[in-house]
Amino acid sequence: MPDSDKLYESALRYHRMAPAGKLAVVATKPLVTQRDLALAYSPGVAAACTAIVDDPAQAAQLTARGNLVAVISNGSAVLGLGNIGPLASKPVMEGKAVLFKKFANIDCFDIEVDATDADLFCKVVAALEPTFGAINLEDIKAPECFIIEERLRKIMDIPVFHDDQHGTAIVAGAAIYNALKVVGKSFGNVKLVSTGGGAASLACLDLLVSMGLAKDNITLCDIDGVVYEGREAGMNPYKARYARKTDMRSLSDAIEGADIFLGLSAPRVLTADMVKKMGSQPVIMALANPEPEIMPDLAREARPDAIIATGRSDFPNQVNNVLCYPFMFRGALDVGATDINEAMKIAAVKAIAALAEKEVSDVVARAYEGEPLRLGPDYLIPKPFDARLMTEVAPAVAKAAMDSGVARRPIEDFDAYLAELNTFVFRSGNLMQPIFERARTQRKRLLFAEGEDERVLQAAQALLDERMADITVVGRPKVVQSRIEKLGLRIRPDVDFEVVNPQNDARYGEYWRSYHELMERKGVSPDEARTIMRTNNTAIAALALHRGEADAMVCGAVGRYHRHLTHVLDIVGLSDGVKAASALSVLMLGKGTFFLCDTFITPDPTAEEIAEVTILAADEVRRFGLTPKVALLSHSNFGSSRTHSAAKMRTALALLHEMAPDLEVEGEMHGDAAIEEKIRDRIFPHSRLSGMANLLVMPNLDAANISYELLKVLGDGLPIGPLLLGTKKSAHIVTPSVTARGLLNMGALALVDAIDPPALRRSPSIDLLDV
């Protein structure tokens, strides 16, 4: 079966999978009790209705309208399929709604209107204004699409945006903007030839002119040839705006010496011979789908110096509207815009173009492994899965709306707005915000052991950009430099950060002797000490921390957790009074943020060790700005079992009541009792724990690790950590699956750990055995 047939069958199975289609409605408020019903509907709903009668602007705060977009089509010009009608267009509109939600957290209803008459279509859509915060028109044929959008923008007081026109224009504009930057040409004097004459083509020309392209330097061609003054065949007022006074009649005539070809027309209209006639380093935007005006390999063969973009994902420089419209609407909705105007479109163009000049995230690098991801001929615009589009484009659009006077709800605190967007893009953003802020208060020295790892270097760039730390990495300088160049990072070794070269460092003699002093009674010979200080990055990093050459360290991006742990404990050691190291893992779940310990280290901790780790873990919970609510978990529920493990948890509880009388801790209990207060109250009404526990302390390693891994997968949990507790200095060990964002988070936590040491490191702890 050909690949296209396989894709077709797979797509049908995908859409038929129960429940059919791609959308569902999900309630955002609980509806469990009689009181919930009274609040959601009668009689409580009357309060919200009355408030909106008094002040219509309250609809944005009391209903979903402020975050609700309608994707509306009559199916008269569905991409690649033509006039298939409204019913057959529904899968496309559902898909558009899914992308709104996925990329910009915008709720969306698809509406298919059985009306080809522009007047009737406008009446239907205009009548829907009370329901929606904005309208996305989709797949409507020209010239009706121009008439409909123009009329609706005049009569509706919410943004109306025809994505086929303006979404294409914005992304194509960003690609052309950067292509001209790559070839060293300016908008003011380039010659452009466009084919098509439809909605997208004309919108692209309008936007490019508003960005500075001279209208006299544009030649528009359609199926009847050059659009010239006096032509009658196939003309309409929208094309006539680009009619030129010229003797040229064909695309072949017009393309002579052109700097840019902008195709939004049909397959194979641009030939290799035409491409050869273009100016130096021509920019070819062959955007017809599914087959472009010229295939990139033919264009490249004709002109090796050409820069080429298409609408296809299997070639570089895909001009994809998803780079634009979710974030255009996000910014517009967030300021209550009444329109999406030219200033907002240009702001989006420049934000998309600027993002292509920044180093990519590790997520994007993995998704597009092997592709060039630095601004150049084959990378003009960001990739669709670059999550930073949200934090770059939406704020730029929102600010342009405010500056141009169409924002009804201007954003007063833009820093808070950016933090909110970051929380969506990076689920850990809200939780980590107090950690980042604390790390910035004192610039500590952070050392990464795996300095040659690309994720580490990306995290180092972010930490330096955020001015959180002075950075040192362990690695071979040539390898570090080559990885930086590959990633397109801006950091410079030995300028912005220090590199400890394990193969050739002036401190090598001091290092191996210091290490030997620490380890000679553990069977390490001088020769072995020399070898380890040449070959083991974690040991080198730990020794630098031990010697005071760094304030905190992070390792573990490569290799097994316990191998790293051995070196950290041997060299850095445990804090005074601490009996054993332990690991605390953080999971962000739909129900909240939960801390689990000990997930990695001690197989069967004693009651004393459990009490110790609980105090240390509670300290970490407080770092996140949360109040620790501790549940000591067991198969036993408040004394229901006499087994050793249950008794151990009861003993740990007694120790904690002595050591930390203000700590909200209860146990031993089942997992459901820890989460649900009603269950706990029914079994043990005098519990010292209120609400839902957020620090879950397990009786052994098996229970902790299994619970952690199951919750992470089944609950779509976002992990942070593990945090290493109990060491003399701030040292943390990640796992090999860590992302660059995870390393950024761990780096910040390590820095705060160095600024504010945990309770048991700040002062001598109570000897638990004496309690």
Side-chain angles (χ1 to χ4, degrees), residues 374 451-454 457 475-489 491-493 497 499:
R374 297 177 66 183
E452 297 175 8
D453 191 284
E454 293 179 2
L457 294 169
R476 295 164 292 176
K478 287 185 179 179
V479 177
V480 171
Q481 182 62 43
S482 69
R483 300 277 161 82
I484 288 172
E485 291 172 1
K486 175 188 172 185
L487 294 167
L489 301 178
I491 50 175
R492 299 161 297 173
F497 67 102
V499 180

mmCIF file of all heavy atoms in Angstrom, residues 374 451-454 457 475-489 491-493 497 499:
data_model
loop_
_atom_site.group_PDB
_atom_site.id
_atom_site.type_symbol
_atom_site.label_atom_id
_atom_site.label_comp_id
_atom_site.label_asym_id
_atom_site.label_seq_id
_atom_site.Cartn_x
_atom_site.Cartn_y
_atom_site.Cartn_z
ATOM 1 N N ARG A 374 19.396 27.212 12.976
ATOM 2 C CA ARG A 374 19.938 28.558 13.161
ATOM 3 C C ARG A 374 19.566 29.368 11.942
ATOM 4 O O ARG A 374 19.501 28.852 10.827
ATOM 5 C CB ARG A 374 21.462 28.524 13.315
ATOM 6 C CG ARG A 374 21.937 27.780 14.539
ATOM 7 C CD ARG A 374 23.461 27.737 14.588
ATOM 8 N NE ARG A 374 24.031 29.067 14.785
ATOM 9 C CZ ARG A 374 25.332 29.314 14.810
ATOM 10 N NH1 ARG A 374 26.196 28.324 14.654
ATOM 11 N NH2 ARG A 374 25.787 30.537 14.997
ATOM 12 N N GLY A 451 29.267 19.108 31.362
ATOM 13 C CA GLY A 451 29.316 20.352 30.596
ATOM 14 C C GLY A 451 29.309 20.186 29.100
ATOM 15 O O GLY A 451 29.122 21.173 28.377
ATOM 16 N N GLU A 452 29.497 18.966 28.603
ATOM 17 C CA GLU A 452 29.468 18.741 27.158
ATOM 18 C C GLU A 452 28.062 18.396 26.666
ATOM 19 O O GLU A 452 27.825 18.329 25.464
ATOM 20 C CB GLU A 452 30.444 17.627 26.779
ATOM 21 C CG GLU A 452 31.890 17.963 27.096
ATOM 22 C CD GLU A 452 32.836 16.794 26.822
ATOM 23 O OE1 GLU A 452 32.385 15.783 26.247
ATOM 24 O OE2 GLU A 452 34.015 16.894 27.195
ATOM 25 N N ASP A 453 27.141 18.162 27.589
ATOM 26 C CA ASP A 453 25.779 17.795 27.220
ATOM 27 C C ASP A 453 25.031 19.022 26.697
ATOM 28 O O ASP A 453 25.077 20.090 27.298
ATOM 29 C CB ASP A 453 25.052 17.212 28.434
ATOM 30 C CG ASP A 453 23.731 16.575 28.077
ATOM 31 O OD1 ASP A 453 22.765 17.332 27.844
ATOM 32 O OD2 ASP A 453 23.647 15.334 28.021
ATOM 33 N N GLU A 454 24.334 18.861 25.576
ATOM 34 C CA GLU A 454 23.649 19.997 24.957
ATOM 35 C C GLU A 454 22.588 20.583 25.881
ATOM 36 O O GLU A 454 22.400 21.804 25.947
ATOM 37 C CB GLU A 454 23.021 19.564 23.625
ATOM 38 C CG GLU A 454 24.059 19.212 22.572
ATOM 39 C CD GLU A 454 23.443 18.771 21.257
ATOM 40 O OE1 GLU A 454 22.191 18.770 21.157
ATOM 41 O OE2 GLU A 454 24.198 18.434 20.328
ATOM 42 N N LEU A 457 24.194 22.895 28.407
ATOM 43 C CA LEU A 457 24.593 24.175 27.841
ATOM 44 C C LEU A 457 23.385 25.080 27.596
ATOM 45 O O LEU A 457 23.462 26.299 27.785
ATOM 46 C CB LEU A 457 25.378 23.947 26.545
ATOM 47 C CG LEU A 457 26.728 23.239 26.750
ATOM 48 C CD1 LEU A 457 27.321 22.811 25.412
ATOM 49 C CD2 LEU A 457 27.701 24.141 27.507
ATOM 50 N N GLY A 475 34.157 19.882 31.322
ATOM 51 C CA GLY A 475 34.107 19.336 29.968
ATOM 52 C C GLY A 475 35.336 19.733 29.176
ATOM 53 O O GLY A 475 36.076 20.639 29.563
ATOM 54 N N ARG A 476 35.508 19.068 28.047
ATOM 55 C CA ARG A 476 36.623 19.394 27.162
ATOM 56 C C ARG A 476 36.268 20.662 26.381
ATOM 57 O O ARG A 476 35.231 20.709 25.710
ATOM 58 C CB ARG A 476 36.892 18.237 26.209
ATOM 59 C CG ARG A 476 37.375 16.972 26.906
ATOM 60 C CD ARG A 476 37.254 15.752 26.007
ATOM 61 N NE ARG A 476 35.851 15.425 25.752
ATOM 62 C CZ ARG A 476 35.449 14.446 24.941
ATOM 63 N NH1 ARG A 476 36.346 13.705 24.308
ATOM 64 N NH2 ARG A 476 34.167 14.213 24.763
ATOM 65 N N PRO A 477 37.087 21.692 26.439
ATOM 66 C CA PRO A 477 36.738 22.986 25.834
ATOM 67 C C PRO A 477 36.359 22.904 24.362
ATOM 68 O O PRO A 477 35.403 23.565 23.933
ATOM 69 C CB PRO A 477 38.011 23.820 26.037
ATOM 70 C CG PRO A 477 38.634 23.241 27.261
ATOM 71 C CD PRO A 477 38.349 21.768 27.186
ATOM 72 N N LYS A 478 37.064 22.102 23.576
ATOM 73 C CA LYS A 478 36.747 22.011 22.143
ATOM 74 C C LYS A 478 35.371 21.410 21.922
ATOM 75 O O LYS A 478 34.617 21.839 21.041
ATOM 76 C CB LYS A 478 37.812 21.186 21.413
ATOM 77 C CG LYS A 478 39.142 21.900 21.239
ATOM 78 C CD LYS A 478 40.114 21.084 20.406
ATOM 79 C CE LYS A 478 41.430 21.823 20.219
ATOM 80 N NZ LYS A 478 42.404 21.015 19.430
ATOM 81 N N VAL A 479 35.032 20.398 22.713
ATOM 82 C CA VAL A 479 33.718 19.767 22.582
ATOM 83 C C VAL A 479 32.623 20.739 23.028
ATOM 84 O O VAL A 479 31.580 20.872 22.376
ATOM 85 C CB VAL A 479 33.649 18.460 23.397
ATOM 86 C CG1 VAL A 479 32.259 17.850 23.316
ATOM 87 C CG2 VAL A 479 34.695 17.472 22.911
ATOM 88 N N VAL A 480 32.858 21.432 24.141
ATOM 89 C CA VAL A 480 31.889 22.420 24.630
ATOM 90 C C VAL A 480 31.638 23.477 23.566
ATOM 91 O O VAL A 480 30.491 23.824 23.261
ATOM 92 C CB VAL A 480 32.397 23.060 25.940
ATOM 93 C CG1 VAL A 480 31.520 24.244 26.330
ATOM 94 C CG2 VAL A 480 32.430 22.032 27.064
ATOM 95 N N GLN A 481 32.712 23.991 22.967
ATOM 96 C CA GLN A 481 32.581 25.024 21.948
ATOM 97 C C GLN A 481 31.816 24.517 20.730
ATOM 98 O O GLN A 481 30.951 25.215 20.185
ATOM 99 C CB GLN A 481 33.966 25.528 21.522
ATOM 100 C CG GLN A 481 33.937 26.644 20.479
ATOM 101 C CD GLN A 481 33.233 27.894 20.967
ATOM 102 O OE1 GLN A 481 33.420 28.318 22.096
ATOM 103 N NE2 GLN A 481 32.385 28.478 20.128
ATOM 104 N N SER A 482 32.109 23.300 20.295
ATOM 105 C CA SER A 482 31.425 22.759 19.109
ATOM 106 C C SER A 482 29.931 22.565 19.370
ATOM 107 O O SER A 482 29.098 22.810 18.497
ATOM 108 C CB SER A 482 32.060 21.435 18.668
ATOM 109 O OG SER A 482 31.798 20.403 19.607
ATOM 110 N N ARG A 483 29.586 22.148 20.594
ATOM 111 C CA ARG A 483 28.162 21.978 20.926
ATOM 112 C C ARG A 483 27.457 23.341 20.971
ATOM 113 O O ARG A 483 26.305 23.475 20.556
ATOM 114 C CB ARG A 483 28.022 21.263 22.265
ATOM 115 C CG ARG A 483 28.663 19.875 22.294
ATOM 116 C CD ARG A 483 27.744 18.805 21.725
ATOM 117 N NE ARG A 483 28.482 17.609 21.347
ATOM 118 C CZ ARG A 483 28.860 16.639 22.186
ATOM 119 N NH1 ARG A 483 28.557 16.737 23.479
ATOM 120 N NH2 ARG A 483 29.515 15.586 21.733
ATOM 121 N N ILE A 484 28.139 24.345 21.487
ATOM 122 C CA ILE A 484 27.565 25.698 21.535
ATOM 123 C C ILE A 484 27.288 26.193 20.115
ATOM 124 O O ILE A 484 26.218 26.755 19.829
ATOM 125 C CB ILE A 484 28.514 26.655 22.278
ATOM 126 C CG1 ILE A 484 28.500 26.352 23.776
ATOM 127 C CG2 ILE A 484 28.125 28.117 22.029
ATOM 128 C CD1 ILE A 484 29.543 27.107 24.563
ATOM 129 N N GLU A 485 28.232 25.973 19.227
ATOM 130 C CA GLU A 485 28.062 26.405 17.838
ATOM 131 C C GLU A 485 26.931 25.638 17.161
ATOM 132 O O GLU A 485 26.133 26.216 16.412
ATOM 133 C CB GLU A 485 29.377 26.215 17.068
ATOM 134 C CG GLU A 485 30.469 27.173 17.516
ATOM 135 C CD GLU A 485 31.819 26.858 16.891
ATOM 136 O OE1 GLU A 485 31.889 25.895 16.079
ATOM 137 O OE2 GLU A 485 32.801 27.551 17.208
ATOM 138 N N LYS A 486 26.849 24.350 17.423
ATOM 139 C CA LYS A 486 25.780 23.540 16.836
ATOM 140 C C LYS A 486 24.408 24.043 17.268
ATOM 141 O O LYS A 486 23.470 24.108 16.467
ATOM 142 C CB LYS A 486 25.954 22.076 17.255
ATOM 143 C CG LYS A 486 24.825 21.162 16.785
ATOM 144 C CD LYS A 486 24.954 19.773 17.380
ATOM 145 C CE LYS A 486 23.737 18.924 17.062
ATOM 146 N NZ LYS A 486 23.801 17.589 17.738
ATOM 147 N N LEU A 487 24.292 24.421 18.531
ATOM 148 C CA LEU A 487 23.010 24.874 19.075
ATOM 149 C C LEU A 487 22.724 26.340 18.786
ATOM 150 O O LEU A 487 21.602 26.807 18.980
ATOM 151 C CB LEU A 487 22.983 24.654 20.594
ATOM 152 C CG LEU A 487 23.019 23.197 21.072
ATOM 153 C CD1 LEU A 487 23.303 23.145 22.564
ATOM 154 C CD2 LEU A 487 21.715 22.490 20.754
ATOM 155 N N GLY A 488 23.740 27.065 18.340
ATOM 156 C CA GLY A 488 23.557 28.491 18.085
ATOM 157 C C GLY A 488 23.420 29.304 19.356
ATOM 158 O O GLY A 488 22.767 30.355 19.369
ATOM 159 N N LEU A 489 24.052 28.844 20.444
ATOM 160 C CA LEU A 489 23.975 29.567 21.713
ATOM 161 C C LEU A 489 24.891 30.790 21.683
ATOM 162 O O LEU A 489 25.840 30.861 20.908
ATOM 163 C CB LEU A 489 24.373 28.646 22.870
ATOM 164 C CG LEU A 489 23.521 27.379 23.050
ATOM 165 C CD1 LEU A 489 24.066 26.551 24.194
ATOM 166 C CD2 LEU A 489 22.066 27.734 23.290
ATOM 167 N N ILE A 491 26.445 31.996 24.563
ATOM 168 C CA ILE A 491 27.428 31.968 25.645
ATOM 169 C C ILE A 491 28.825 31.649 25.112
ATOM 170 O O ILE A 491 28.980 30.880 24.160
ATOM 171 C CB ILE A 491 27.031 30.960 26.742
ATOM 172 C CG1 ILE A 491 26.683 29.590 26.136
ATOM 173 C CG2 ILE A 491 25.891 31.488 27.566
ATOM 174 C CD1 ILE A 491 26.398 28.520 27.172
ATOM 175 N N ARG A 492 29.833 32.226 25.760
ATOM 176 C CA ARG A 492 31.218 32.068 25.326
ATOM 177 C C ARG A 492 32.038 31.449 26.450
ATOM 178 O O ARG A 492 32.112 32.021 27.554
ATOM 179 C CB ARG A 492 31.804 33.432 24.943
ATOM 180 C CG ARG A 492 31.086 34.125 23.798
ATOM 181 C CD ARG A 492 31.390 35.613 23.772
ATOM 182 N NE ARG A 492 30.899 36.279 24.982
ATOM 183 C CZ ARG A 492 31.149 37.551 25.292
ATOM 184 N NH1 ARG A 492 31.904 38.299 24.492
ATOM 185 N NH2 ARG A 492 30.673 38.079 26.409
ATOM 186 N N PRO A 493 32.670 30.310 26.182
ATOM 187 C CA PRO A 493 33.495 29.664 27.202
ATOM 188 C C PRO A 493 34.609 30.599 27.667
ATOM 189 O O PRO A 493 35.214 31.330 26.866
ATOM 190 C CB PRO A 493 34.068 28.440 26.485
ATOM 191 C CG PRO A 493 33.137 28.180 25.344
ATOM 192 C CD PRO A 493 32.620 29.524 24.922
ATOM 193 N N PHE A 497 31.259 32.003 31.059
ATOM 194 C CA PHE A 497 31.272 30.928 32.054
ATOM 195 C C PHE A 497 32.632 30.238 32.026
ATOM 196 O O PHE A 497 33.383 30.347 31.054
ATOM 197 C CB PHE A 497 30.149 29.920 31.791
ATOM 198 C CG PHE A 497 30.311 29.125 30.513
ATOM 199 C CD1 PHE A 497 30.781 27.816 30.545
ATOM 200 C CD2 PHE A 497 29.988 29.673 29.282
ATOM 201 C CE1 PHE A 497 30.923 27.085 29.383
ATOM 202 C CE2 PHE A 497 30.130 28.953 28.108
ATOM 203 C CZ PHE A 497 30.596 27.645 28.157
ATOM 204 N N VAL A 499 35.174 26.886 32.226
ATOM 205 C CA VAL A 499 35.233 25.481 31.832
ATOM 206 C C VAL A 499 36.375 24.819 32.590
ATOM 207 O O VAL A 499 37.523 25.285 32.538
ATOM 208 C CB VAL A 499 35.454 25.319 30.318
ATOM 209 C CG1 VAL A 499 35.517 23.835 29.950
ATOM 210 C CG2 VAL A 499 34.344 26.003 29.533
#
